Every structure is written in structure tokens, then in C-alpha cells.
Amino acid sequence: MAVPVDPGSSPLLAAALRAHQAAFGGAAVLAAWAPGRVNLIGEHTDYNGGFVLPMALQLGTVLVGSPTQDGTISIVTTSAEADEPHRVQFPAPRPGSSLSPGLPRWANYAKGVIQHYRGGPVPGFSAVMASDIPLGGGLSSSAALEVAVYTFLQQLCPDDGDLVAKALACQKAEHTFAGMPCGIMDQFISVMGKEGHALLIDCRSLDTVPVPLSDASLAVLITNSNVRHTLTGSEYPTRRRHCEQAAAALGKASLRDATLAELEEARSRLGDEVFRRARHVIGEIARTAQAAQALQHRDYRTFGRLMVESHNSLRDDYEVSCPELDELVAAALEVDGVYGSRMTGGGFGGCTVTLLEAGAADRAQQHIQEKYRGTATFYLTKPSGGAKALPL
């Protein structure tokens, strides 16, 4: 089982520094780290102006590098799972010559952030990126990469330090360079994460409320199904469109403003599929607000029940679960000391998140692995702080 360490002293940073020396023949002088995240509850609500309740992870992405004098940007990824080539080179953007997405796909996340960076002009630089977030696991490896690049650029040529604008620039990079119309949650929590806390984010106002999650008797267990999902397919945009159709039919700016009673009234006009998609979102927004209150009051039983309701709704109404995730959740719920479990992230594979008594963690992992037909990977994690520059 992976027990993460502080990024400043991590093997990840050491490996990235070695790779930079090997690739570029010189030492890196700047380093930045940004965390992945797990969303405890509030799935597919962020692009509907709703609430989400993520926490930043101790798993993250590190970027190390040095400025160069030739106006060229060279980036190497150490990720074996990234598409080839693992090294890219392109001129730094200038007025009248902007960057554009292409192949390899992994580099588009970095290019998008460089293009939308709010400081600058960005000089040439060499950099190596390394990550211990499982790719395609729904733990937001893409946002961590974007935010790590932005945090690196802040050292290279500082911006005004506005954290909300930083998260929005990273989100814009994903929309325009990776073709993924994501909500704001992933970039926001990677930038704003607070140690020992989950973050209730209002995705409409962008207000955040830290919710304490540092009870030593409590554990958060992430279980990776090791089934990969790619969300840039039609599934995500289709669901997003269904939500927009439902909101329009109800005369609302977004489903955040709709009630289940209003939805029920419009049922015949919506068609079954759009109705069920909207029912998930409206219910999930309410569940997330309730869950944050339960966590504030250390009412873990209520929190766990809401997690299970969330999973069932994602499975039945939003239809983004899969047999592997359902199996992992069912197995977790059989273990004494487990409060709740659900799929987390976009769906179609990836991870589940389970809230449980710390003393039940070993037994839960053993039971889940015995019951799961695939091979699961476990991460026992605590809420981490957000992105930061690492001293070298």
C-alpha cells in the first residue's frame, strides 16, 4: 500500500532532479509541486454550479527545471504511461505566435498553461515532470500537472499571485488545449488545498469553506479499480449537454437553482434520460451541502449514508459507474467500521473513496481485495495542502 511522503523530501523530487540532469546535462534550479485530489462527495455537480467536497492528496506532480537563454521550451515526462514521445520542444509563445495543441497529448496540458499564464512573457526553459498520481484513475492527474506547471512559471516570471485566477487559467488550459470541458473543482482544490481539511467549494460563487478532517480515529481509503477511463469520449460532453437541456427546460440558469419538485413537474417534457441525469445533479448538490455539515459535526454515519446515496445515484441515474466500481463499493460496505463508500471522479473506472474507522483500514483492504475480481491498489491518505514551490 502506498503511504505518501512530503513532496519536498520525496523520491519523486529526487527522481525528477536526476532525470533533468540526465536529459539536459545541467541541474534544475526551480521546483514546484501540485497535488491530485479525491472528491469525497459532489460528483458531476461542478459544471452545474453546485457544491463539491474534495480534499487534496499527498500524491502529486512535481516539475523541476531551469530557465534557458534560447527562447525554446523543452519538457520531458518520466511517466511510462504517457503517450510518445516523452520529450517535446517548442518555442516560447510570443505576441503573434501562440502555442497550439497537438501530439503527444500529455504535452497539451503544459502548453495550455504556458499559453494562458497570467504573468510573463514566459522565457525558454528546460523541465522534467514526474508524478505519483495514477493516470486515468480519477484522482485528477491532469489538474495536478496543470497547476504544477503554473506554480513553476510563477517562480520563473511571477504573476500577481491571485489564486482563483490561477485555478481558472489552468481550467481554461484544459478546455482549450486538452478538449475537456471540465468544471472548476480539480484545479481549485489543487491550488487551494488545506492540510487537515476537505474544502467545500461553491462552484457558482467560487467561495470555499474549509471543513476539518483531521480526526485521528478516521481514515480515508482510496481504492483504484485499475480499470482505465478516458473521458474525452462522448460520455462527458453528452451528460453536460443533458444537464443544460434540463436547466433550460426548467427556465433556470443552471441545475443549482432547480428543486426536485420542479423537476418532477417537468418530467413529461424532459424524456426519461434527461430527467434522470438532472435528478442525480439536483439530489447530489443537496447531499453535498448536508455532507459538509455532517463532517463539521463529526457525524460520520450520516456522511457515510450520503456517500452511498451518491454512489447509487451515479450508478442508476447518471450511469457513470461500472461493474468494477460497484463491486468495490459493495465489498467495502460489508466491512465493520466502514461508514460509507462511493465511486469518485468522472466514472467509467478509476477509484472509489471509503470513509472508515482508522482501525478498520487493514481489514477493509484485505476484504476488498478478496472480493474484487480485478487487482486493486490502495492509498490510505490524509488531506494535504495545495500547490507550492519546493526549495532546492
Side-chain angles (χ1 to χ4, degrees):
M1 189 196 71
V3 178
V5 291
D6 175 63
S9 61
S10 74
L12 191 65
L13 176 62
L17 292 170
R18 282 196 305 273
H20 189 278
Q21 184 74 47
F24 301 110
V29 296
L30 301 171
W33 174 86
R37 63 96 187 94
V38 66
N39 191 23
L40 298 172
I41 191 166
E43 219 63 75
H44 291 282
T45 52
D46 61 346
Y47 53 85
N48 288 292
F51 294 106
V52 291
L53 189 63
M55 64 180 226
L57 297 176
Q58 293 153 307
L59 302 167
T61 296
V62 70
L63 191 76
V64 304
S66 293
T68 57
Q69 300 310 311
D70 61 0
T72 298
I73 295 171
S74 305
I75 307 177
V76 169
T77 176
T78 62
S79 168
E81 295 163 300
D83 54 325
E84 298 279 354
H86 286 177
R87 180 171 178 159
V88 292
Q89 201 169 332
F90 49 90
R94 289 284 163 268
S97 71
S98 47
L99 303 179
S100 54
L103 292 173
R105 287 185 302 278
W106 65 266
N108 290 335
Y109 297 95
K111 283 182 184 169
V113 173
I114 294 164
Q115 184 59 48
H116 294 305
Y117 182 62
R118 301 173 57 259
V122 176
F125 64 86
S126 60
V128 169
M129 57 177 65
S131 187
D132 52 11
I133 307 171
L135 285 189
L139 301 180
S140 216
S141 53
S142 55
L145 194 164
E146 291 151 8
V147 174
V149 171
Y150 198 106
T151 308
F152 177 83
L153 294 177
Q154 285 177 302
Q155 297 173 77
L156 204 57
C157 44
D159 67 349
D160 60 7
D162 182 324
L163 294 181
V164 172
K166 173 178 178 175
L168 289 168
C170 292
Q171 180 197 28
K172 189 174 178 185
E174 187 148 341
H175 286 188
T176 56
F177 275 66
M180 180 65 190
C182 58
I184 189 59
M185 165 172 64
D186 299 351
Q187 292 79 10
F188 226 75
I189 185 66
S190 189
V191 170
M192 309 271 193
K194 187 173 179 196
E195 199 170 334
H197 293 74
L199 210 56
L200 180 68
I201 304 171
D202 179 334
C203 297
R204 181 168 62 183
S205 69
L206 302 183
D207 290 338
T208 57
V209 179
V211 183
L213 182 55
S214 52
D215 185 335
S217 68
L218 198 65
V220 176
L221 177 66
I222 298 169
T223 306
N224 191 348
S225 67
N226 289 306
V227 179
R228 284 287 293 270
H229 65 74
T230 42
L231 262 188
T232 321
S234 63
E235 299 288 359
Y236 188 100
T238 303
R239 276 165 183 69
R240 195 165 177 160
R241 199 167 60 247
H242 283 158
C243 293
E244 287 160 1
Q245 284 168 5
L250 295 171
K252 307 288 185 187
S254 74
L255 289 176
R256 165 72 176 272
D257 299 313
T259 65
L260 287 172
E262 289 169 328
L263 181 68
E264 201 58 60
E265 220 168 82
R267 187 171 196 156
S268 57
R269 302 203 307 276
L270 290 173
D272 179 59
E273 197 174 48
V274 172
F275 171 80
R276 284 185 297 115
R277 302 295 187 254
R279 181 168 63 185
H280 163 71
V281 171
I282 296 167
E284 186 79 348
I285 291 171
R287 275 189 291 274
T288 305
Q290 279 175 280
Q293 276 190 315
L295 201 55
Q296 288 273 20
H297 299 134
R298 297 194 171 199
D299 180 357
Y300 305 134
R301 280 197 171 21
T302 298
F303 194 95
R305 176 178 57 77
L306 292 164
M307 288 175 85
V308 175
E309 286 175 15
S310 167
H311 180 79
N312 294 345
S313 176
L314 287 158
R315 181 191 64 206
D316 302 336
D317 275 355
Y318 221 62
E319 295 181 281
V320 290
S321 190
C322 61
E324 293 88 351
L325 292 173
D326 296 343
E327 212 170 272
L328 290 172
V329 167
L333 294 175
E334 289 166 356
V335 178
D336 195 33
V338 164
Y339 293 112
S341 186
R342 58 182 285 276
M343 61 153 276
T344 185
F348 308 110
C351 293
T352 63
V353 58
T354 303
L355 190 75
L356 70 171
E357 292 169 5
D362 289 344
R363 152 170 106 242
Q365 288 170 71
Q366 203 178 335
H367 182 78
I368 292 167
Q369 191 57 82
E370 280 168 12
K371 284 294 187 89
Y372 181 48
R373 72 182 101 159
T375 306
T377 314
F378 298 97
Y379 305 91
L380 205 54
T381 186
K382 289 178 158 48
S384 152
K388 57 186 175 182
L390 300 177
L392 289 183

